[in-house]
Amino acid sequence: MSSTRTRARSRRTRPVVLTLLVVALVAVAAWFLDALGDRPWADGEVSDDVTVFDDEFPAVANLDPDLLAALREAATDAADDGITFSVTSGWRSPEYQDRLLSDAVSEYGSAAEAARWVATAETSPHVQGDALDVGPWDAMDWLSTSGARYGLCQVYANEPWHYELRPDAAHVGCPPMYDDPTQDPRMQQ
């Protein structure tokens, strides 16, 4: 008689255990998806180990396709020299760009001085997906000497990490750099 009760009790508890397990899995999945929604990199922020091949980061995935293709070709060739390109900044949301500008004004003490380093959301090529900041120093050095072959040019003399696509550079070289973004006509709005 007791084995019959045990089997009956076991049959009744299985659905309860399965239901609890499903509820727990749904709760964990919901938490995980919510955490992904709050990723700091959703606005274009990146961690230290992001490369030009990491499409799961909007800072990379939202770059102009031609810029990204040139960067990936250059990064592949640089890897043959033992150089790894890290993305220190790529595409940025307008909100993230505004935060960077606000932080720069606080750091440098004025909007005029901050403009030497950070553009507005309306003028930043990062917001358009047309610029990439690269690191570390050996990658910057490699791009400064080899980037033109891929149409990748340093745009600002004060920002050795900032590169944009200039397709003609592969044939005629990179155009002269601006001293800083305040000299760039695109930043005047």
mmCIF file of all heavy atoms in Angstrom, residues 115-117 154-161 177-181:
data_model
loop_
_atom_site.group_PDB
_atom_site.id
_atom_site.type_symbol
_atom_site.label_atom_id
_atom_site.label_comp_id
_atom_site.label_asym_id
_atom_site.label_seq_id
_atom_site.Cartn_x
_atom_site.Cartn_y
_atom_site.Cartn_z
ATOM 1 N N ALA A 115 35.516 71.907 -26.750
ATOM 2 C CA ALA A 115 35.323 71.710 -28.193
ATOM 3 C C ALA A 115 36.599 71.276 -28.898
ATOM 4 O O ALA A 115 36.543 70.743 -30.002
ATOM 5 C CB ALA A 115 34.778 72.988 -28.826
ATOM 6 N N ARG A 116 37.745 71.474 -28.267
ATOM 7 C CA ARG A 116 39.005 71.001 -28.855
ATOM 8 C C ARG A 116 39.106 69.475 -28.792
ATOM 9 O O ARG A 116 39.953 68.886 -29.461
ATOM 10 C CB ARG A 116 40.200 71.613 -28.125
ATOM 11 C CG ARG A 116 40.293 73.117 -28.293
ATOM 12 C CD ARG A 116 41.576 73.700 -27.721
ATOM 13 N NE ARG A 116 42.733 73.091 -28.377
ATOM 14 C CZ ARG A 116 43.714 72.468 -27.706
ATOM 15 N NH1 ARG A 116 43.709 72.385 -26.405
ATOM 16 N NH2 ARG A 116 44.721 71.935 -28.378
ATOM 17 N N TRP A 117 38.226 68.857 -27.990
ATOM 18 C CA TRP A 117 38.324 67.411 -27.757
ATOM 19 C C TRP A 117 37.041 66.650 -28.043
ATOM 20 O O TRP A 117 37.094 65.469 -28.393
ATOM 21 C CB TRP A 117 38.744 67.148 -26.308
ATOM 22 C CG TRP A 117 40.041 67.801 -25.991
ATOM 23 C CD1 TRP A 117 40.214 69.005 -25.346
ATOM 24 C CD2 TRP A 117 41.342 67.354 -26.351
ATOM 25 N NE1 TRP A 117 41.548 69.297 -25.275
ATOM 26 C CE2 TRP A 117 42.268 68.302 -25.888
ATOM 27 C CE3 TRP A 117 41.818 66.233 -27.016
ATOM 28 C CZ2 TRP A 117 43.636 68.164 -26.059
ATOM 29 C CZ3 TRP A 117 43.188 66.091 -27.196
ATOM 30 C CH2 TRP A 117 44.077 67.046 -26.714
ATOM 31 N N GLN A 154 44.151 59.826 -39.879
ATOM 32 C CA GLN A 154 44.044 60.609 -38.653
ATOM 33 C C GLN A 154 43.578 61.994 -39.074
ATOM 34 O O GLN A 154 44.148 62.598 -39.985
ATOM 35 C CB GLN A 154 45.392 60.680 -37.938
ATOM 36 C CG GLN A 154 45.350 61.442 -36.648
ATOM 37 C CD GLN A 154 46.718 61.561 -35.993
ATOM 38 O OE1 GLN A 154 47.656 60.842 -36.319
ATOM 39 N NE2 GLN A 154 46.834 62.511 -35.070
ATOM 40 N N VAL A 155 42.566 62.511 -38.426
ATOM 41 C CA VAL A 155 41.956 63.766 -38.846
ATOM 42 C C VAL A 155 42.464 64.949 -38.029
ATOM 43 O O VAL A 155 42.633 66.040 -38.555
ATOM 44 C CB VAL A 155 40.413 63.657 -38.760
ATOM 45 C CG1 VAL A 155 39.745 64.960 -39.130
ATOM 46 C CG2 VAL A 155 39.925 62.529 -39.668
ATOM 47 N N TYR A 156 42.718 64.711 -36.736
ATOM 48 C CA TYR A 156 43.096 65.800 -35.829
ATOM 49 C C TYR A 156 44.482 65.543 -35.250
ATOM 50 O O TYR A 156 44.756 64.460 -34.725
ATOM 51 C CB TYR A 156 42.079 65.933 -34.687
ATOM 52 C CG TYR A 156 40.665 66.080 -35.199
ATOM 53 C CD1 TYR A 156 39.690 65.151 -34.895
ATOM 54 C CD2 TYR A 156 40.313 67.168 -36.005
ATOM 55 C CE1 TYR A 156 38.400 65.277 -35.372
ATOM 56 C CE2 TYR A 156 39.026 67.295 -36.493
ATOM 57 C CZ TYR A 156 38.079 66.347 -36.174
ATOM 58 O OH TYR A 156 36.801 66.483 -36.672
ATOM 59 N N ALA A 157 45.344 66.541 -35.320
ATOM 60 C CA ALA A 157 46.711 66.403 -34.802
ATOM 61 C C ALA A 157 46.727 66.125 -33.302
ATOM 62 O O ALA A 157 47.618 65.434 -32.812
ATOM 63 C CB ALA A 157 47.517 67.660 -35.120
ATOM 64 N N ASN A 158 45.746 66.645 -32.580
ATOM 65 C CA ASN A 158 45.723 66.447 -31.128
ATOM 66 C C ASN A 158 45.059 65.128 -30.713
ATOM 67 O O ASN A 158 44.986 64.834 -29.525
ATOM 68 C CB ASN A 158 45.033 67.621 -30.419
ATOM 69 C CG ASN A 158 43.537 67.666 -30.662
ATOM 70 O OD1 ASN A 158 43.048 67.285 -31.722
ATOM 71 N ND2 ASN A 158 42.798 68.147 -29.672
ATOM 72 N N GLU A 159 44.572 64.351 -31.673
ATOM 73 C CA GLU A 159 43.901 63.088 -31.362
ATOM 74 C C GLU A 159 44.495 61.958 -32.211
ATOM 75 O O GLU A 159 43.933 61.567 -33.233
ATOM 76 C CB GLU A 159 42.399 63.195 -31.609
ATOM 77 C CG GLU A 159 41.686 64.173 -30.705
ATOM 78 C CD GLU A 159 40.171 64.162 -30.882
ATOM 79 O OE1 GLU A 159 39.614 63.249 -31.541
ATOM 80 O OE2 GLU A 159 39.529 65.079 -30.345
ATOM 81 N N PRO A 160 45.630 61.405 -31.801
ATOM 82 C CA PRO A 160 46.267 60.359 -32.606
ATOM 83 C C PRO A 160 45.464 59.059 -32.658
ATOM 84 O O PRO A 160 45.785 58.168 -33.443
ATOM 85 C CB PRO A 160 47.616 60.144 -31.908
ATOM 86 C CG PRO A 160 47.417 60.627 -30.515
ATOM 87 C CD PRO A 160 46.409 61.735 -30.606
ATOM 88 N N TRP A 161 44.417 58.974 -31.896
ATOM 89 C CA TRP A 161 43.575 57.779 -31.838
ATOM 90 C C TRP A 161 42.379 57.867 -32.777
ATOM 91 O O TRP A 161 41.737 56.865 -33.050
ATOM 92 C CB TRP A 161 43.066 57.577 -30.403
ATOM 93 C CG TRP A 161 42.439 58.823 -29.841
ATOM 94 C CD1 TRP A 161 41.165 59.268 -30.027
ATOM 95 C CD2 TRP A 161 43.080 59.807 -29.035
ATOM 96 N NE1 TRP A 161 40.960 60.466 -29.380
ATOM 97 C CE2 TRP A 161 42.132 60.821 -28.754
ATOM 98 C CE3 TRP A 161 44.358 59.933 -28.504
ATOM 99 C CZ2 TRP A 161 42.421 61.937 -27.981
ATOM 100 C CZ3 TRP A 161 44.637 61.048 -27.728
ATOM 101 C CH2 TRP A 161 43.685 62.026 -27.474
ATOM 102 N N MET A 177 46.030 67.288 -41.604
ATOM 103 C CA MET A 177 45.217 67.211 -40.383
ATOM 104 C C MET A 177 44.845 68.604 -39.911
ATOM 105 O O MET A 177 45.586 69.559 -40.113
ATOM 106 C CB MET A 177 46.009 66.518 -39.272
ATOM 107 C CG MET A 177 46.134 65.039 -39.433
ATOM 108 S SD MET A 177 46.983 64.319 -38.019
ATOM 109 C CE MET A 177 48.614 64.103 -38.711
ATOM 110 N N TYR A 178 43.709 68.679 -39.235
ATOM 111 C CA TYR A 178 43.345 69.879 -38.500
ATOM 112 C C TYR A 178 44.089 69.840 -37.169
ATOM 113 O O TYR A 178 44.375 68.756 -36.641
ATOM 114 C CB TYR A 178 41.838 69.919 -38.235
ATOM 115 C CG TYR A 178 41.001 69.936 -39.489
ATOM 116 C CD1 TYR A 178 40.281 68.817 -39.877
ATOM 117 C CD2 TYR A 178 40.932 71.072 -40.284
ATOM 118 C CE1 TYR A 178 39.506 68.827 -41.027
ATOM 119 C CE2 TYR A 178 40.160 71.095 -41.435
ATOM 120 C CZ TYR A 178 39.456 69.964 -41.805
ATOM 121 O OH TYR A 178 38.696 69.978 -42.951
ATOM 122 N N ASP A 179 44.409 71.012 -36.619
ATOM 123 C CA ASP A 179 45.057 71.038 -35.310
ATOM 124 C C ASP A 179 44.197 70.341 -34.261
ATOM 125 O O ASP A 179 44.697 69.600 -33.427
ATOM 126 C CB ASP A 179 45.339 72.471 -34.858
ATOM 127 C CG ASP A 179 46.428 73.134 -35.677
ATOM 128 O OD1 ASP A 179 47.260 72.408 -36.270
ATOM 129 O OD2 ASP A 179 46.451 74.379 -35.712
ATOM 130 N N ASP A 180 42.912 70.616 -34.299
ATOM 131 C CA ASP A 180 41.943 70.010 -33.392
ATOM 132 C C ASP A 180 40.564 70.208 -34.013
ATOM 133 O O ASP A 180 40.441 70.872 -35.054
ATOM 134 C CB ASP A 180 42.041 70.610 -31.972
ATOM 135 C CG ASP A 180 41.743 72.093 -31.921
ATOM 136 O OD1 ASP A 180 40.701 72.537 -32.449
ATOM 137 O OD2 ASP A 180 42.550 72.826 -31.320
ATOM 138 N N PRO A 181 39.517 69.632 -33.428
ATOM 139 C CA PRO A 181 38.186 69.745 -34.036
ATOM 140 C C PRO A 181 37.676 71.166 -34.246
ATOM 141 O O PRO A 181 36.837 71.391 -35.123
ATOM 142 C CB PRO A 181 37.288 68.973 -33.050
ATOM 143 C CG PRO A 181 38.204 67.961 -32.439
ATOM 144 C CD PRO A 181 39.523 68.683 -32.299
#
